[in-house]
PDB file of all heavy atoms in Angstrom:
ATOM      1  N   TYR V   1      58.031  33.829  41.639  1.00  0.00           N
ATOM      2  CA  TYR V   1      59.027  34.003  40.577  1.00  0.00           C
ATOM      3  C   TYR V   1      60.145  32.966  40.720  1.00  0.00           C
ATOM      4  O   TYR V   1      60.553  32.334  39.746  1.00  0.00           O
ATOM      5  CB  TYR V   1      59.593  35.421  40.658  1.00  0.00           C
ATOM      6  CG  TYR V   1      60.618  35.738  39.599  1.00  0.00           C
ATOM      7  CD1 TYR V   1      60.226  36.158  38.344  1.00  0.00           C
ATOM      8  CD2 TYR V   1      61.980  35.634  39.867  1.00  0.00           C
ATOM      9  CE1 TYR V   1      61.161  36.463  37.369  1.00  0.00           C
ATOM     10  CE2 TYR V   1      62.918  35.932  38.913  1.00  0.00           C
ATOM     11  CZ  TYR V   1      62.507  36.350  37.661  1.00  0.00           C
ATOM     12  OH  TYR V   1      63.443  36.644  36.709  1.00  0.00           O
ATOM     13  N   VAL V   2      60.623  32.790  41.946  1.00  0.00           N
ATOM     14  CA  VAL V   2      61.685  31.804  42.195  1.00  0.00           C
ATOM     15  C   VAL V   2      61.206  30.406  41.804  1.00  0.00           C
ATOM     16  O   VAL V   2      61.937  29.648  41.153  1.00  0.00           O
ATOM     17  CB  VAL V   2      62.133  31.846  43.678  1.00  0.00           C
ATOM     18  CG1 VAL V   2      63.043  30.681  44.017  1.00  0.00           C
ATOM     19  CG2 VAL V   2      62.834  33.176  43.977  1.00  0.00           C
ATOM     20  N   LEU V   3      59.975  30.065  42.160  1.00  0.00           N
ATOM     21  CA  LEU V   3      59.409  28.776  41.761  1.00  0.00           C
ATOM     22  C   LEU V   3      59.292  28.671  40.241  1.00  0.00           C
ATOM     23  O   LEU V   3      59.623  27.646  39.650  1.00  0.00           O
ATOM     24  CB  LEU V   3      58.031  28.569  42.392  1.00  0.00           C
ATOM     25  CG  LEU V   3      57.991  28.297  43.878  1.00  0.00           C
ATOM     26  CD1 LEU V   3      56.553  28.336  44.384  1.00  0.00           C
ATOM     27  CD2 LEU V   3      58.630  26.956  44.188  1.00  0.00           C
ATOM     28  N   GLY V   4      58.807  29.724  39.615  1.00  0.00           N
ATOM     29  CA  GLY V   4      58.623  29.729  38.169  1.00  0.00           C
ATOM     30  C   GLY V   4      59.918  29.583  37.405  1.00  0.00           C
ATOM     31  O   GLY V   4      59.989  28.856  36.409  1.00  0.00           O
ATOM     32  N   VAL V   5      60.968  30.267  37.860  1.00  0.00           N
ATOM     33  CA  VAL V   5      62.271  30.173  37.206  1.00  0.00           C
ATOM     34  C   VAL V   5      62.796  28.747  37.286  1.00  0.00           C
ATOM     35  O   VAL V   5      63.407  28.233  36.345  1.00  0.00           O
ATOM     36  CB  VAL V   5      63.270  31.178  37.828  1.00  0.00           C
ATOM     37  CG1 VAL V   5      64.688  30.891  37.400  1.00  0.00           C
ATOM     38  CG2 VAL V   5      62.888  32.600  37.451  1.00  0.00           C
ATOM     39  N   SER V   6      62.512  28.086  38.393  1.00  0.00           N
ATOM     40  CA  SER V   6      62.970  26.709  38.565  1.00  0.00           C
ATOM     41  C   SER V   6      62.367  25.761  37.528  1.00  0.00           C
ATOM     42  O   SER V   6      62.992  24.785  37.137  1.00  0.00           O
ATOM     43  CB  SER V   6      62.597  26.195  39.961  1.00  0.00           C
ATOM     44  OG  SER V   6      63.164  27.016  40.943  1.00  0.00           O
ATOM     45  N   PHE V   7      61.153  26.056  37.082  1.00  0.00           N
ATOM     46  CA  PHE V   7      60.455  25.172  36.148  1.00  0.00           C
ATOM     47  C   PHE V   7      60.309  25.766  34.748  1.00  0.00           C
ATOM     48  O   PHE V   7      59.668  25.175  33.890  1.00  0.00           O
ATOM     49  CB  PHE V   7      59.060  24.840  36.688  1.00  0.00           C
ATOM     50  CG  PHE V   7      59.100  24.122  37.995  1.00  0.00           C
ATOM     51  CD1 PHE V   7      58.793  24.783  39.177  1.00  0.00           C
ATOM     52  CD2 PHE V   7      59.468  22.791  38.060  1.00  0.00           C
ATOM     53  CE1 PHE V   7      58.839  24.126  40.388  1.00  0.00           C
ATOM     54  CE2 PHE V   7      59.518  22.120  39.267  1.00  0.00           C
ATOM     55  CZ  PHE V   7      59.207  22.795  40.435  1.00  0.00           C
ATOM     56  N   GLN V   8      60.937  26.905  34.501  1.00  0.00           N
ATOM     57  CA  GLN V   8      60.741  27.629  33.252  1.00  0.00           C
ATOM     58  C   GLN V   8      61.117  26.810  32.022  1.00  0.00           C
ATOM     59  O   GLN V   8      60.384  26.795  31.045  1.00  0.00           O
ATOM     60  CB  GLN V   8      61.534  28.936  33.276  1.00  0.00           C
ATOM     61  CG  GLN V   8      61.280  29.806  32.080  1.00  0.00           C
ATOM     62  CD  GLN V   8      61.968  31.145  32.226  1.00  0.00           C
ATOM     63  OE1 GLN V   8      62.782  31.337  33.115  1.00  0.00           O
ATOM     64  NE2 GLN V   8      61.645  32.052  31.351  1.00  0.00           N
ATOM     65  N   GLU V   9      62.239  26.137  32.049  1.00  0.00           N
ATOM     66  CA  GLU V   9      62.684  25.375  30.881  1.00  0.00           C
ATOM     67  C   GLU V   9      61.719  24.250  30.545  1.00  0.00           C
ATOM     68  O   GLU V   9      61.509  23.928  29.384  1.00  0.00           O
ATOM     69  CB  GLU V   9      64.082  24.812  31.123  1.00  0.00           C
ATOM     70  CG  GLU V   9      65.162  25.865  31.121  1.00  0.00           C
ATOM     71  CD  GLU V   9      66.542  25.269  31.333  1.00  0.00           C
ATOM     72  OE1 GLU V   9      66.737  24.074  31.046  1.00  0.00           O
ATOM     73  OE2 GLU V   9      67.417  26.018  31.793  1.00  0.00           O
ATOM     74  N   ILE V  10      61.128  23.651  31.556  1.00  0.00           N
ATOM     75  CA  ILE V  10      60.240  22.512  31.357  1.00  0.00           C
ATOM     76  C   ILE V  10      58.946  22.922  30.652  1.00  0.00           C
ATOM     77  O   ILE V  10      58.453  22.204  29.787  1.00  0.00           O
ATOM     78  CB  ILE V  10      59.915  21.841  32.715  1.00  0.00           C
ATOM     79  CG1 ILE V  10      61.199  21.328  33.373  1.00  0.00           C
ATOM     80  CG2 ILE V  10      58.902  20.726  32.556  1.00  0.00           C
ATOM     81  CD1 ILE V  10      61.028  20.885  34.806  1.00  0.00           C
ATOM     82  N   ILE V  11      58.397  24.083  31.004  1.00  0.00           N
ATOM     83  CA  ILE V  11      57.084  24.441  30.488  1.00  0.00           C
ATOM     84  C   ILE V  11      57.050  25.743  29.679  1.00  0.00           C
ATOM     85  O   ILE V  11      55.994  26.336  29.505  1.00  0.00           O
ATOM     86  CB  ILE V  11      56.062  24.509  31.641  1.00  0.00           C
ATOM     87  CG1 ILE V  11      56.541  25.411  32.759  1.00  0.00           C
ATOM     88  CG2 ILE V  11      55.721  23.156  32.150  1.00  0.00           C
ATOM     89  CD1 ILE V  11      55.572  25.539  33.901  1.00  0.00           C
ATOM     90  N   SER V  12      58.180  26.149  29.122  1.00  0.00           N
ATOM     91  CA  SER V  12      58.231  27.420  28.397  1.00  0.00           C
ATOM     92  C   SER V  12      57.337  27.438  27.158  1.00  0.00           C
ATOM     93  O   SER V  12      56.880  28.498  26.738  1.00  0.00           O
ATOM     94  CB  SER V  12      59.672  27.774  28.023  1.00  0.00           C
ATOM     95  OG  SER V  12      60.193  26.805  27.150  1.00  0.00           O
ATOM     96  N   SER V  13      57.034  26.296  26.567  1.00  0.00           N
ATOM     97  CA  SER V  13      56.200  26.275  25.364  1.00  0.00           C
ATOM     98  C   SER V  13      54.724  26.547  25.665  1.00  0.00           C
ATOM     99  O   SER V  13      53.959  26.885  24.763  1.00  0.00           O
ATOM    100  CB  SER V  13      56.334  24.935  24.644  1.00  0.00           C
ATOM    101  OG  SER V  13      55.858  23.891  25.464  1.00  0.00           O
ATOM    102  N   ILE V  14      54.332  26.410  26.921  1.00  0.00           N
ATOM    103  CA  ILE V  14      52.930  26.663  27.273  1.00  0.00           C
ATOM    104  C   ILE V  14      52.783  27.753  28.339  1.00  0.00           C
ATOM    105  O   ILE V  14      51.718  27.916  28.921  1.00  0.00           O
ATOM    106  CB  ILE V  14      52.237  25.362  27.757  1.00  0.00           C
ATOM    107  CG1 ILE V  14      52.971  24.765  28.958  1.00  0.00           C
ATOM    108  CG2 ILE V  14      52.093  24.365  26.633  1.00  0.00           C
ATOM    109  CD1 ILE V  14      52.211  23.670  29.669  1.00  0.00           C
ATOM    110  N   ASP V  15      53.839  28.537  28.545  1.00  0.00           N
ATOM    111  CA  ASP V  15      53.810  29.528  29.616  1.00  0.00           C
ATOM    112  C   ASP V  15      52.707  30.558  29.453  1.00  0.00           C
ATOM    113  O   ASP V  15      52.108  30.992  30.432  1.00  0.00           O
ATOM    114  CB  ASP V  15      55.170  30.210  29.761  1.00  0.00           C
ATOM    115  CG  ASP V  15      55.634  30.910  28.500  1.00  0.00           C
ATOM    116  OD1 ASP V  15      54.923  30.867  27.480  1.00  0.00           O
ATOM    117  OD2 ASP V  15      56.722  31.507  28.540  1.00  0.00           O
ATOM    118  N   HIS V  16      52.386  30.946  28.219  1.00  0.00           N
ATOM    119  CA  HIS V  16      51.335  31.936  27.995  1.00  0.00           C
ATOM    120  C   HIS V  16      49.965  31.389  28.411  1.00  0.00           C
ATOM    121  O   HIS V  16      49.134  32.115  28.934  1.00  0.00           O
ATOM    122  CB  HIS V  16      51.322  32.388  26.531  1.00  0.00           C
ATOM    123  CG  HIS V  16      51.257  31.269  25.560  1.00  0.00           C
ATOM    124  ND1 HIS V  16      52.346  30.460  25.299  1.00  0.00           N
ATOM    125  CD2 HIS V  16      50.235  30.793  24.824  1.00  0.00           C
ATOM    126  CE1 HIS V  16      51.990  29.537  24.412  1.00  0.00           C
ATOM    127  NE2 HIS V  16      50.715  29.721  24.114  1.00  0.00           N
ATOM    128  N   TRP V  17      49.751  30.103  28.187  1.00  0.00           N
ATOM    129  CA  TRP V  17      48.505  29.471  28.617  1.00  0.00           C
ATOM    130  C   TRP V  17      48.439  29.407  30.139  1.00  0.00           C
ATOM    131  O   TRP V  17      47.386  29.624  30.736  1.00  0.00           O
ATOM    132  CB  TRP V  17      48.365  28.065  28.019  1.00  0.00           C
ATOM    133  CG  TRP V  17      47.994  28.106  26.572  1.00  0.00           C
ATOM    134  CD1 TRP V  17      48.818  27.910  25.506  1.00  0.00           C
ATOM    135  CD2 TRP V  17      46.706  28.392  26.031  1.00  0.00           C
ATOM    136  NE1 TRP V  17      48.127  28.041  24.337  1.00  0.00           N
ATOM    137  CE2 TRP V  17      46.814  28.338  24.627  1.00  0.00           C
ATOM    138  CE3 TRP V  17      45.466  28.677  26.593  1.00  0.00           C
ATOM    139  CZ2 TRP V  17      45.734  28.569  23.783  1.00  0.00           C
ATOM    140  CZ3 TRP V  17      44.391  28.905  25.750  1.00  0.00           C
ATOM    141  CH2 TRP V  17      44.532  28.852  24.367  1.00  0.00           C
ATOM    142  N   ILE V  18      49.566  29.108  30.771  1.00  0.00           N
ATOM    143  CA  ILE V  18      49.610  29.048  32.237  1.00  0.00           C
ATOM    144  C   ILE V  18      49.290  30.417  32.822  1.00  0.00           C
ATOM    145  O   ILE V  18      48.482  30.536  33.746  1.00  0.00           O
ATOM    146  CB  ILE V  18      50.981  28.533  32.731  1.00  0.00           C
ATOM    147  CG1 ILE V  18      51.153  27.065  32.333  1.00  0.00           C
ATOM    148  CG2 ILE V  18      51.121  28.713  34.244  1.00  0.00           C
ATOM    149  CD1 ILE V  18      52.544  26.515  32.563  1.00  0.00           C
ATOM    150  N   ALA V  19      49.903  31.467  32.269  1.00  0.00           N
ATOM    151  CA  ALA V  19      49.644  32.826  32.744  1.00  0.00           C
ATOM    152  C   ALA V  19      48.165  33.171  32.587  1.00  0.00           C
ATOM    153  O   ALA V  19      47.525  33.691  33.518  1.00  0.00           O
ATOM    154  CB  ALA V  19      50.506  33.830  31.992  1.00  0.00           C
ATOM    155  N   PHE V  20      47.609  32.878  31.422  1.00  0.00           N
ATOM    156  CA  PHE V  20      46.198  33.163  31.158  1.00  0.00           C
ATOM    157  C   PHE V  20      45.286  32.404  32.127  1.00  0.00           C
ATOM    158  O   PHE V  20      44.388  32.977  32.732  1.00  0.00           O
ATOM    159  CB  PHE V  20      45.853  32.800  29.709  1.00  0.00           C
ATOM    160  CG  PHE V  20      44.379  32.811  29.410  1.00  0.00           C
ATOM    161  CD1 PHE V  20      43.668  33.994  29.404  1.00  0.00           C
ATOM    162  CD2 PHE V  20      43.706  31.628  29.150  1.00  0.00           C
ATOM    163  CE1 PHE V  20      42.310  34.011  29.136  1.00  0.00           C
ATOM    164  CE2 PHE V  20      42.351  31.631  28.880  1.00  0.00           C
ATOM    165  CZ  PHE V  20      41.644  32.829  28.873  1.00  0.00           C
ATOM    166  N   ILE V  21      45.539  31.121  32.301  1.00  0.00           N
ATOM    167  CA  ILE V  21      44.690  30.291  33.166  1.00  0.00           C
ATOM    168  C   ILE V  21      44.800  30.733  34.626  1.00  0.00           C
ATOM    169  O   ILE V  21      43.778  30.914  35.304  1.00  0.00           O
ATOM    170  CB  ILE V  21      45.034  28.796  32.995  1.00  0.00           C
ATOM    171  CG1 ILE V  21      44.578  28.318  31.604  1.00  0.00           C
ATOM    172  CG2 ILE V  21      44.388  27.956  34.090  1.00  0.00           C
ATOM    173  CD1 ILE V  21      45.120  26.956  31.197  1.00  0.00           C
ATOM    174  N   LEU V  22      46.026  30.948  35.117  1.00  0.00           N
ATOM    175  CA  LEU V  22      46.191  31.358  36.518  1.00  0.00           C
ATOM    176  C   LEU V  22      45.528  32.710  36.789  1.00  0.00           C
ATOM    177  O   LEU V  22      44.795  32.869  37.772  1.00  0.00           O
ATOM    178  CB  LEU V  22      47.669  31.430  36.886  1.00  0.00           C
ATOM    179  CG  LEU V  22      48.395  30.110  37.107  1.00  0.00           C
ATOM    180  CD1 LEU V  22      49.879  30.347  37.336  1.00  0.00           C
ATOM    181  CD2 LEU V  22      47.793  29.353  38.274  1.00  0.00           C
ATOM    182  N   LEU V  23      45.785  33.684  35.922  1.00  0.00           N
ATOM    183  CA  LEU V  23      45.208  35.013  36.135  1.00  0.00           C
ATOM    184  C   LEU V  23      43.684  34.976  36.016  1.00  0.00           C
ATOM    185  O   LEU V  23      42.984  35.659  36.770  1.00  0.00           O
ATOM    186  CB  LEU V  23      45.804  36.023  35.162  1.00  0.00           C
ATOM    187  CG  LEU V  23      47.279  36.374  35.411  1.00  0.00           C
ATOM    188  CD1 LEU V  23      47.810  37.263  34.302  1.00  0.00           C
ATOM    189  CD2 LEU V  23      47.464  37.035  36.763  1.00  0.00           C
ATOM    190  N   SER V  24      43.169  34.173  35.099  1.00  0.00           N
ATOM    191  CA  SER V  24      41.711  34.062  34.954  1.00  0.00           C
ATOM    192  C   SER V  24      41.084  33.401  36.176  1.00  0.00           C
ATOM    193  O   SER V  24      40.043  33.856  36.673  1.00  0.00           O
ATOM    194  CB  SER V  24      41.355  33.271  33.694  1.00  0.00           C
ATOM    195  OG  SER V  24      41.773  33.978  32.553  1.00  0.00           O
ATOM    196  N   ILE V  25      41.689  32.331  36.654  1.00  0.00           N
ATOM    197  CA  ILE V  25      41.157  31.657  37.844  1.00  0.00           C
ATOM    198  C   ILE V  25      41.150  32.615  39.034  1.00  0.00           C
ATOM    199  O   ILE V  25      40.154  32.729  39.761  1.00  0.00           O
ATOM    200  CB  ILE V  25      41.974  30.385  38.173  1.00  0.00           C
ATOM    201  CG1 ILE V  25      41.690  29.302  37.122  1.00  0.00           C
ATOM    202  CG2 ILE V  25      41.669  29.876  39.582  1.00  0.00           C
ATOM    203  CD1 ILE V  25      42.621  28.098  37.214  1.00  0.00           C
ATOM    204  N   ILE V  26      42.262  33.313  39.224  1.00  0.00           N
ATOM    205  CA  ILE V  26      42.347  34.267  40.336  1.00  0.00           C
ATOM    206  C   ILE V  26      41.299  35.364  40.170  1.00  0.00           C
ATOM    207  O   ILE V  26      40.601  35.739  41.118  1.00  0.00           O
ATOM    208  CB  ILE V  26      43.762  34.879  40.420  1.00  0.00           C
ATOM    209  CG1 ILE V  26      44.779  33.803  40.786  1.00  0.00           C
ATOM    210  CG2 ILE V  26      43.793  36.019  41.438  1.00  0.00           C
ATOM    211  CD1 ILE V  26      46.214  34.212  40.520  1.00  0.00           C
ATOM    212  N   GLY V  27      41.173  35.890  38.957  1.00  0.00           N
ATOM    213  CA  GLY V  27      40.198  36.954  38.690  1.00  0.00           C
ATOM    214  C   GLY V  27      38.773  36.511  38.947  1.00  0.00           C
ATOM    215  O   GLY V  27      37.993  37.211  39.618  1.00  0.00           O
ATOM    216  N   PHE V  28      38.398  35.325  38.431  1.00  0.00           N
ATOM    217  CA  PHE V  28      37.039  34.820  38.650  1.00  0.00           C
ATOM    218  C   PHE V  28      36.790  34.533  40.132  1.00  0.00           C
ATOM    219  O   PHE V  28      35.685  34.754  40.634  1.00  0.00           O
ATOM    220  CB  PHE V  28      36.773  33.579  37.800  1.00  0.00           C
ATOM    221  CG  PHE V  28      36.482  33.912  36.356  1.00  0.00           C
ATOM    222  CD1 PHE V  28      37.308  33.451  35.356  1.00  0.00           C
ATOM    223  CD2 PHE V  28      35.385  34.687  36.012  1.00  0.00           C
ATOM    224  CE1 PHE V  28      37.060  33.760  34.031  1.00  0.00           C
ATOM    225  CE2 PHE V  28      35.118  34.998  34.691  1.00  0.00           C
ATOM    226  CZ  PHE V  28      35.956  34.536  33.691  1.00  0.00           C
ATOM    227  N   GLN V  29      37.820  34.054  40.831  1.00  0.00           N
ATOM    228  CA  GLN V  29      37.671  33.789  42.255  1.00  0.00           C
ATOM    229  C   GLN V  29      37.435  35.090  43.015  1.00  0.00           C
ATOM    230  O   GLN V  29      36.597  35.146  43.914  1.00  0.00           O
ATOM    231  CB  GLN V  29      38.911  33.083  42.795  1.00  0.00           C
ATOM    232  CG  GLN V  29      38.796  32.719  44.253  1.00  0.00           C
ATOM    233  CD  GLN V  29      39.998  31.931  44.733  1.00  0.00           C
ATOM    234  OE1 GLN V  29      40.781  31.409  43.962  1.00  0.00           O
ATOM    235  NE2 GLN V  29      40.145  31.842  46.037  1.00  0.00           N
ATOM    236  N   MET V  30      38.144  36.145  42.642  1.00  0.00           N
ATOM    237  CA  MET V  30      37.938  37.444  43.298  1.00  0.00           C
ATOM    238  C   MET V  30      36.513  37.945  43.059  1.00  0.00           C
ATOM    239  O   MET V  30      35.870  38.467  43.967  1.00  0.00           O
ATOM    240  CB  MET V  30      38.948  38.473  42.785  1.00  0.00           C
ATOM    241  CG  MET V  30      40.343  38.299  43.333  1.00  0.00           C
ATOM    242  SD  MET V  30      41.513  39.467  42.630  1.00  0.00           S
ATOM    243  CE  MET V  30      40.972  40.991  43.389  1.00  0.00           C
ATOM    244  N   ILE V  31      36.025  37.785  41.828  1.00  0.00           N
ATOM    245  CA  ILE V  31      34.667  38.224  41.511  1.00  0.00           C
ATOM    246  C   ILE V  31      33.656  37.408  42.312  1.00  0.00           C
ATOM    247  O   ILE V  31      32.716  37.954  42.891  1.00  0.00           O
ATOM    248  CB  ILE V  31      34.411  38.114  39.995  1.00  0.00           C
ATOM    249  CG1 ILE V  31      35.267  39.150  39.245  1.00  0.00           C
ATOM    250  CG2 ILE V  31      32.928  38.306  39.679  1.00  0.00           C
ATOM    251  CD1 ILE V  31      35.312  38.952  37.749  1.00  0.00           C
ATOM    252  N   ARG V  32      33.856  36.091  42.374  1.00  0.00           N
ATOM    253  CA  ARG V  32      32.951  35.212  43.123  1.00  0.00           C
ATOM    254  C   ARG V  32      32.951  35.566  44.608  1.00  0.00           C
ATOM    255  O   ARG V  32      31.906  35.625  45.251  1.00  0.00           O
ATOM    256  CB  ARG V  32      33.363  33.756  42.933  1.00  0.00           C
ATOM    257  CG  ARG V  32      32.411  32.757  43.572  1.00  0.00           C
ATOM    258  CD  ARG V  32      32.812  31.322  43.297  1.00  0.00           C
ATOM    259  NE  ARG V  32      34.196  31.012  43.596  1.00  0.00           N
ATOM    260  CZ  ARG V  32      34.660  30.687  44.807  1.00  0.00           C
ATOM    261  NH1 ARG V  32      33.845  30.639  45.822  1.00  0.00           N
ATOM    262  NH2 ARG V  32      35.927  30.419  44.988  1.00  0.00           N
ATOM    263  N   GLU V  33      34.123  35.834  45.163  1.00  0.00           N
ATOM    264  CA  GLU V  33      34.231  36.151  46.587  1.00  0.00           C
ATOM    265  C   GLU V  33      33.681  37.529  46.933  1.00  0.00           C
ATOM    266  O   GLU V  33      33.427  37.819  48.099  1.00  0.00           O
ATOM    267  CB  GLU V  33      35.685  36.051  47.043  1.00  0.00           C
ATOM    268  CG  GLU V  33      36.193  34.630  47.098  1.00  0.00           C
ATOM    269  CD  GLU V  33      37.679  34.550  47.414  1.00  0.00           C
ATOM    270  OE1 GLU V  33      38.340  35.604  47.523  1.00  0.00           O
ATOM    271  OE2 GLU V  33      38.179  33.421  47.542  1.00  0.00           O
ATOM    272  N   SER V  34      33.484  38.373  45.931  1.00  0.00           N
ATOM    273  CA  SER V  34      32.988  39.729  46.207  1.00  0.00           C
ATOM    274  C   SER V  34      31.576  39.712  46.786  1.00  0.00           C
ATOM    275  O   SER V  34      31.144  40.671  47.396  1.00  0.00           O
ATOM    276  CB  SER V  34      33.009  40.567  44.932  1.00  0.00           C
ATOM    277  OG  SER V  34      32.011  40.129  44.020  1.00  0.00           O
ATOM    278  N   LYS V  35      30.870  38.611  46.616  1.00  0.00           N
ATOM    279  CA  LYS V  35      29.507  38.514  47.118  1.00  0.00           C
ATOM    280  C   LYS V  35      29.437  37.995  48.550  1.00  0.00           C
ATOM    281  O   LYS V  35      28.394  38.028  49.176  1.00  0.00           O
ATOM    282  CB  LYS V  35      28.691  37.605  46.199  1.00  0.00           C
ATOM    283  CG  LYS V  35      28.517  38.189  44.808  1.00  0.00           C
ATOM    284  CD  LYS V  35      28.089  37.119  43.837  1.00  0.00           C
ATOM    285  CE  LYS V  35      27.956  37.569  42.418  1.00  0.00           C
ATOM    286  NZ  LYS V  35      28.841  38.544  41.912  1.00  0.00           N
ATOM    287  N   GLY V  36      30.554  37.518  49.095  1.00  0.00           N
ATOM    288  CA  GLY V  36      30.585  36.940  50.441  1.00  0.00           C
ATOM    289  C   GLY V  36      30.684  37.991  51.517  1.00  0.00           C
ATOM    290  O   GLY V  36      31.067  39.130  51.279  1.00  0.00           O
ATOM    291  N   GLU V  37      30.340  37.584  52.702  1.00  0.00           N
ATOM    292  CA  GLU V  37      30.442  38.454  53.874  1.00  0.00           C
ATOM    293  C   GLU V  37      31.732  38.144  54.611  1.00  0.00           C
ATOM    294  O   GLU V  37      32.101  36.992  54.763  1.00  0.00           O
ATOM    295  CB  GLU V  37      29.260  38.213  54.820  1.00  0.00           C
ATOM    296  CG  GLU V  37      27.935  38.659  54.249  1.00  0.00           C
ATOM    297  CD  GLU V  37      27.835  40.152  54.090  1.00  0.00           C
ATOM    298  OE1 GLU V  37      28.294  40.883  54.996  1.00  0.00           O
ATOM    299  OE2 GLU V  37      27.315  40.598  53.059  1.00  0.00           O
TER     300      GLU V  37
END
């Protein structure tokens, strides 16, 4: 959050895309890792 607030003004026009992309990447990574030992 502290990092995000620091850069909020710079990228506020695309913040929804950033949220979507980050959460999707994390979600897909969790699903992919579920098969590992």
Side-chain angles (χ1 to χ4, degrees):
Y1 181 84
V2 170
L3 288 171
V5 167
S6 302
F7 299 105
Q8 186 174 11
E9 289 181 24
I10 299 169
I11 53 179
S12 63
S13 63
I14 58 168
D15 59 359
H16 52 286
W17 285 102
I18 293 171
F20 169 68
I21 290 167
L22 285 175
L23 291 174
S24 295
I25 289 170
I26 294 164
F28 282 118
Q29 183 176 344
M30 285 177 71
I31 292 168
R32 185 177 51 84
E33 289 174 356
S34 71
K35 295 163 183 35
E37 292 293 319

